[in-house]
Amino acid sequence: MSITCSLSLTDLRAQYLSGSLTPREVFATIGERIEQYREHNIWIHALTAAELEAYFLRLEQADIHALPLYGIPFAIKDNIDLAGVPTTAACPEFSYIPERSAFVVQRLIDAGAIPVGKSNLDQFATGLVGVRSPYGACKNSFDPSMVSGGSSAGSAVSVALGMASFSLGTDTAGSGRVPACFNNLVGVKPSIGLLSASGMLPACRSLDCITIFALHCDDANTLLAVAEGEDASDAYSRVNPFANQARHYGAWQGMLRIGVLPENQLAFFGHSDYQASYEETITALKEQGVEIIEVDFAPFIEAARLLYEGPWVAERYIATTPLIQDNPQAMLPVIQTIIGGGAKSSAVDAFQAQYRLKALRKAATSVLASVDCLLSPTAGRPYSIDAVNADPIKLNSNLGYYTNYMNLFDLAGVAVPTGFTASAFPFGVTLIGEAFTDRRLLSIANRMQQYFQLPLGKDQGAFQPTAASPVANQQRIAVAVCGAHLQGQPLNWQLTERGGYLLEKTTSAPNYKLYALAGGPPFRPGMVIAPAGEGQAIEVEVWSLPASEFGSFVAGIPAPLGIGKVTLADGSQVSGFICEASGLAGAEDISHFGGWRGYLGKGS
């Protein structure tokens, strides 16, 4: 029986719950697809029927309601351990058979997921192209002549072509994002340490992340919730400091301020189709009311160069010792060249690079604090397999232009599809935020998926509506002001010194009155809800305040003023200044001036 639904978690679970489909039937179809796409070089080891049997038997005796990932097929990049199955890192001479599965793999299996097999990769996870493997170049799901992206090549293509509902990759330089872009998938590069790295062969141990490829954001969030968790055996594992973080995922609502690169810092390497797709994405976001702010991306770009031009390559040398020392010929020539360079780094090089990175990170911090997230193209352009084989170092380096800095800066990222080029090749962008903003980024990506409504993977189903539950910025709060806190007024400093910035100038809904309160200085107005039919729109400004500063701001507001909910002209509600009725004694009704500035300028 060939299945007809998509392999999204939503679709499969519905089929399982109804009894119309079983995991055995799903894997029968997957087996057919593995044969169909064998020339794509997706798999290093697909599990045999005998190897799968124990997983099927366990689920047939289990309660589906107790297993959130019951019968969900997934692929594992072959630098991540699955008990009893060889881990090769795409180097047969390096192969070993682990006794236990990686921490994350085991959590997924415990939740009911079933591994399809170990997927192809750039050898030792060194590359962003997916062609550096003795098991063959992994071909793109949309155009077999093009690179799939790497190093998590097979992981991405297996999901895009319907051989897995999701997959695990890894990301040091962009390997969890570039393949997502080139194969029309969501790629989650979590905060470092959010997913344990136990059982993952390191590339750069201090920077590596296990990543998730999924068909859409809902699936990605479910998988992240299952996979994350502190691991005492992993020195780099970290506890998510935001308790119950999964509750903060949904469809992003309200105002959204996104930072983008200025035109002179963008690079498309001669690919006009990708440039056009990026410009179309930005235009579409503006049409949806997203505020697009140009920010200086120079610190990020400079940091990106440090990853391969600096001493961090020495970590790759450490990870492949003793093979690189005793049998370097076992490596592909390009991998040997890259990793071999790591032996030349000195302690002086390492410290000098750390000093420079620290300075760049400080500059990047202020950029990140000014917006809800950053956005960049995930990759400047795709390349053909032939082109990469002809110029393997330079073209691979080009693919890291927008990605290589991320783990050096300890950031989170989500790659999300936003369209297709004129030649029908996938295009997408990456959302970037501070560590542990993973759910915020997924929620913003969710909003984008709701707008762009792209099909899933490569012919894996039409757009699938995702979570409609609203979520807003948990780290900043929008505040409407109408008087002495307006821009240029005497108390505006109380907002700016707390890191506040202006979101918009607008008016309230037409159901308020404004009064000039008695007393002062500073002289202040009070805005109150008017009796039915007697109100009007009042000029307001909406400011964004860090949530951590909101309490101290409110505490400093003297009676009769306070903070409540103010309805804006567009019908949305934000926190804002309101006035107690008792404060209107001796006050002057100034509503007809339309706002505090109009009242102050009444004599001009």
Side-chain angles (χ1 to χ4, degrees), residues 337-413:
T337 298
I338 294 168
I339 295 179
K344 302 173 185 177
S345 297
S346 69
V348 172
D349 296 330
F351 278 108
Q352 288 180 335
Q354 287 284 357
Y355 300 153
R356 184 57 187 154
L357 182 63
K358 197 75 171 178
L360 294 171
R361 183 62 172 93
K362 189 170 185 177
T365 298
S366 62
V367 173
L368 287 156
S370 68
V371 292
D372 292 314
C373 70
L374 299 180
L375 178 152
S376 78
T378 300
R381 62 163 297 163
Y383 289 105
S384 70
I385 292 173
D386 288 344
V388 168
N389 286 336
D391 193 357
I393 302 292
K394 180 180 179 182
L395 300 194
N396 186 89
S397 177
N398 289 348
L399 291 180
Y401 182 81
Y402 297 110
T403 64
N404 285 356
Y405 63 85
M406 190 171 285
N407 285 341
L408 286 170
F409 276 173
D410 191 16
L411 303 179

Side-chain angles (χ1 to χ4, degrees), residues 425-448:
F425 194 84
F427 173 81
V429 298
T430 292
L431 308 178
I432 304 140
E434 292 283 9
F436 301 111
T437 61
D438 307 81
R439 264 48 178 234
R440 182 210 296 195
L441 299 178
L442 268 173
S443 297
I444 297 172
N446 182 346
R447 173 164 162 175
M448 291 185 181

Side-chain angles (χ1 to χ4, degrees), residues 14 36 63 128-129 131 325 534 600:
Q36 178 184 354
D63 177 7
L128 291 171
V129 287
V131 306
Q325 296 172 339
E534 297 181 20
L600 294 178

Side-chain angles (χ1 to χ4, degrees), residues 257-277:
R257 179 184 174 101
I258 291 179
V260 300
L261 286 73
E263 185 176 355
N264 65 351
Q265 292 177 346
L266 289 165
F268 296 100
F269 307 101
H271 201 277
S272 58
D273 272 6
Y274 251 42
Q275 180 174 355
S277 292

Side-chain angles (χ1 to χ4, degrees), residues 485-500:
H485 289 88
L486 292 166
Q487 204 168 38
Q489 295 303 306
L491 297 183
N492 183 251
W493 62 269
Q494 293 182 358
L495 293 167
T496 57
E497 77 165 5
R498 289 177 167 86

Side-chain angles (χ1 to χ4, degrees), residues 107-129:
R107 287 179 73 93
L108 296 165
I109 291 172
D110 290 346
I114 304 176
V116 178
K118 306 297 290 295
S119 54
N120 200 2
L121 67 152
D122 286 310
Q123 192 174 72
F124 292 110
T126 302
L128 291 171
V129 287

Side-chain angles (χ1 to χ4, degrees), residues 126-165:
T126 302
L128 291 171
V129 287
V131 306
R132 299 170 171 178
S133 171
Y135 298 96
C138 187
K139 298 176 182 178
N140 184 274
S141 59
F142 282 78
D143 183 347
S145 71
M146 302 294 286
V147 300
S148 58
S151 60
S152 309
S155 290
V157 177
S158 67
V159 177
L161 291 178
M163 284 165 267
S165 298

Side-chain angles (χ1 to χ4, degrees), residues 73-238:
F74 73 110
I76 304 168
K77 185 177 180 178
D78 197 22
N79 62 342
I80 303 171
D81 290 344
L82 175 64
V85 175
T87 298
T88 72
C91 181
E93 291 85 349
F94 181 80
S95 178
Y96 63 92
I97 299 178
E99 295 182 359
R100 65 176 63 184
S101 295
F103 182 90
V104 167
V105 171
Q106 192 60 55
R107 287 179 73 93
L108 296 165
I109 291 172
D110 290 346
I114 304 176
V116 178
K118 306 297 290 295
S119 54
N120 200 2
L121 67 152
D122 286 310
Q123 192 174 72
F124 292 110
T126 302
L128 291 171
V129 287
V131 306
R132 299 170 171 178
S133 171
Y135 298 96
C138 187
K139 298 176 182 178
N140 184 274
S141 59
F142 282 78
D143 183 347
S145 71
M146 302 294 286
V147 300
S148 58
S151 60
S152 309
S155 290
V157 177
S158 67
V159 177
L161 291 178
M163 284 165 267
S165 298
F166 73 95
S167 62
L168 297 180
T170 64
D171 190 308
T172 304
S175 301
R177 293 161 277 156
V178 172
C181 175
F182 290 169
N183 292 280
N184 192 39
L185 300 173
V186 171
V188 178
K189 191 227 73 73
S191 304
I192 295 173
L194 187 62
L195 301 188
S196 166
S198 291
M200 178 186 76
L201 179 71
C204 296
R205 189 181 175 200
S206 65
L207 304 177
D208 295 330
C209 298
I210 287 182
T211 65
I212 295 170
F213 295 101
L215 292 169
H216 56 60
C217 293
D218 279 10
D219 282 5
N221 181 63
T222 297
L223 296 163
L224 193 59
V226 172
E228 72 178 312
E230 187 182 15
D231 175 11
S233 67
D234 176 14
Y236 287 91
S237 176
R238 295 192 286 183

